[in-house]
Amino acid sequence: MARTHLIAGNWKMHLSPAEGRELVTSIASGLGGTTAEILVCPTALGIADAIAAAAGSKVQVGAQNCHWEVKGAFTGELSAELIQSAGCSHVLLGHSERRQFFHETDETVSQRLKAVLRAGLVPVLCIGETLSERESGQLETVLRQQITGALAGIDAAQLTQLVVAYEPVWAIGTGVVASTEQAQEAHAFVRSVLAGVLGDLANDLRILYGGSVKPGNAAELLAQPDIDGALVGGASLKAEDFLGIIAAA
Ligand code: PGA
């Protein structure tokens, strides 16, 4: 089955609700006849405005994280159900910045993943190695652990919409993009690990590449057989750049 490209923007802690609204309006009006699926992930405060601006367009809106409980005394957190009720379709999980700065572990990523599935949302599971892990030959061990750790105890039947984003930590926000060969090789490995856990379903799941994706490098990356889209940080904050990446898909 052909996999539809997904081009996703991770706005991180950028853009006011008004700026986000303007950006979504520009993206929506510049999409042309793209066949790719389009997603933007604003800050929690920007979600409502982004959804309003996206109405009637192909642009979908997701959250950058969620808590695993449905509700309760968890100051500052958002449940998957709240995110769903706000109109989001997707949730990013286990982004390396969450792992690095907010003590996210494979276990908590897995709990969040279960919550996203419970709420009927699409999980975008982020994985990736640091430079020292790659240089010390641990690339495959790290990716395998992040995947199996996150998917532990979840049936393949629940994961038919799963999206995985491979983002080498050393390529995020650095301007250093993985080479096409490095990216394709890692994606093929990720798919093989997914096949070990989920069987044939692995052939239908999208694996996005993330890390310094720009209009100038997107086409070559997206032409690789196992690269099914992009998770874009910096270049998703400007309509022209994000649309350039969409045009390459
Ligand atoms: P970048 O970020 O495109 O700015 O490298 C990607 C990401 O963190 O998802």
Side-chain angles (χ1 to χ4, degrees), residues 8-10 12 92 95-97 126 167 171-176 210-214 231-236:
N10 173 11
K12 309 190 180 184
L92 305 183
H95 189 280
S96 67
E97 287 149 18
C126 304
E167 302 198 294
I172 294 178
T174 57
V176 182
S212 298
V213 177
K214 304 271 180 298
L231 181 54
V232 187
S236 73

Side-chain angles (χ1 to χ4, degrees), residues 5 7 34 214-220 222-223 242-249:
H5 279 152
I7 307 298
T34 184
K214 304 271 180 298
N217 58 28
E220 200 181 325
L222 292 168
F242 196 55
L243 288 168
I245 293 166
I246 291 168

